[in-house]
Amino acid sequence: MCGRFTLTASPTDVEEELGIEIPSFPPSHNIAPTEEILAIAAIHTAPKACFFHWGLIPHWSKQKNKGPKPINARAETIADTMPFKHLLPRKRCLIVADGFYEWTSDKTPFHFQNENGRLMTFAGLWDTWQDSESGEAVSSCTIITTRPNELVAKYHDRMPVILEEGNREAWLDVDITDASLLQKVLEPYDSDKMHACRISKAINNPTYKGHRRK
């Protein structure tokens, strides 16, 4: 799974790397489910940066606070599983990060990053729920996971799908709707491009937002 990640780059750095206007956001060493997270989605055909609630609330839910709110979706089954199969053709997004966490059996956390320090963009799906009476709307998302690469496999049996530049464009292309084509990009990231760093167990508390290092 992917249950915690980081985004400590500045909005300016994100803009320069991704080539899209980014709203202001606070850096975080410990982003957890239910928080508002920075994403890029193809809204009205043009990619746009926005903030999504992390934990998918399907548009057909009767109440936003009832029912499962998946933070992850398995790449191998999203084309056949509710509620993801209805989102895959048109409601795809990128979740912006610069690292993610996994834990060993004794709850020791490790932080995974790109070797060159560049951003990571996780493949995601999103939806918008709206209250039929009040009109309140909540846009939310889930992060797609896949089998681990050689590095992550030492710690966990899943990892987020990390999309590089060419696949980012394809993932946000609303003209691509074929599930079999889309699933081809949902592969493990090259382990040679990553490194892992052991960090303090303080990060195990989702409310802790301080420095991540050991």
Side-chain angles (χ1 to χ4, degrees):
M1 65 177 296
C2 177
R4 229 63 87 61
F5 66 94
T6 61
L7 180 56
T8 59
S10 70
T12 300
D13 290 339
V14 177
E15 285 185 354
E16 289 179 356
E17 185 162 341
L18 300 183
I20 187 170
E21 184 176 355
I22 300 294
S24 178
F25 62 86
S28 178
H29 293 282
N30 196 7
I31 299 172
T34 74
E35 295 185 22
E36 300 296 305
I37 61 177
L38 179 64
I40 298 171
I43 300 175
H44 303 303
T45 73
K48 179 182 178 182
C50 47
F51 294 97
F52 289 153
H53 174 90
W54 185 14
L56 187 71
I57 306 171
H59 69 273
W60 38 259
S61 295
K62 293 184 178 180
Q63 298 182 44
K64 69 175 181 179
N65 294 322
K66 288 190 177 181
K69 302 175 187 62
I71 64 170
N72 290 159
R74 295 177 68 92
E76 300 88 341
T77 59
I78 55 172
D80 305 304
T81 306
M82 288 287 287
F84 313 122
K85 66 180 182 180
H86 295 306
L87 304 178
L88 184 60
R90 295 288 184 185
K91 290 195 171 181
R92 305 185 298 272
C93 64
L94 300 172
I95 289 87
V96 183
D98 53 22
F100 64 94
Y101 296 109
E102 290 298 350
W103 284 260
T104 57
S105 58
D106 66 351
K107 304 300 183 182
T108 299
F110 283 78
H111 189 225
F112 296 85
Q113 291 182 292
N114 269 323
E115 280 285 2
N116 58 14
R118 291 174 66 88
L119 292 175
M120 294 177 169
T121 50
F122 305 147
L125 300 172
W126 68 282
D127 204 356
T128 297
W129 172 89
Q130 187 166 18
D131 188 286
S132 59
E133 296 182 0
S134 69
E136 176 193 9
V138 178
S139 292
S140 61
C141 67
T142 187
I143 295 173
I144 299 173
T145 66
T146 186
R147 63 190 185 281
N149 59 27
E150 292 182 1
L151 176 63
V152 179
K154 299 174 183 177
Y155 308 90
H156 202 270
D157 62 358
R158 303 292 294 176
M159 68 178 292
V161 172
I162 302 169
L163 298 179
E164 296 191 89
E165 186 171 356
N167 288 337
R168 290 171 187 167
E169 295 177 5
W171 189 248
L172 294 180
D173 188 340
V174 295
D175 292 327
I176 301 175
T177 59
D178 186 288
S180 61
L181 292 177
L182 292 166
Q183 284 182 294
K184 287 181 179 180
V185 306
L186 303 179
E187 293 293 323
Y189 193 65
D190 186 349
S191 61
D192 291 336
K193 297 179 179 180
M194 297 175 61
H195 68 89
C197 174
R198 180 183 174 183
I199 57 171
S200 168
K201 288 187 177 181
I203 213 76
N204 293 1
N205 183 343
T207 65
Y208 176 78
K209 304 299 182 184
H211 202 274
R212 62 170 181 79
R213 289 196 177 275
K214 180 178 177 182

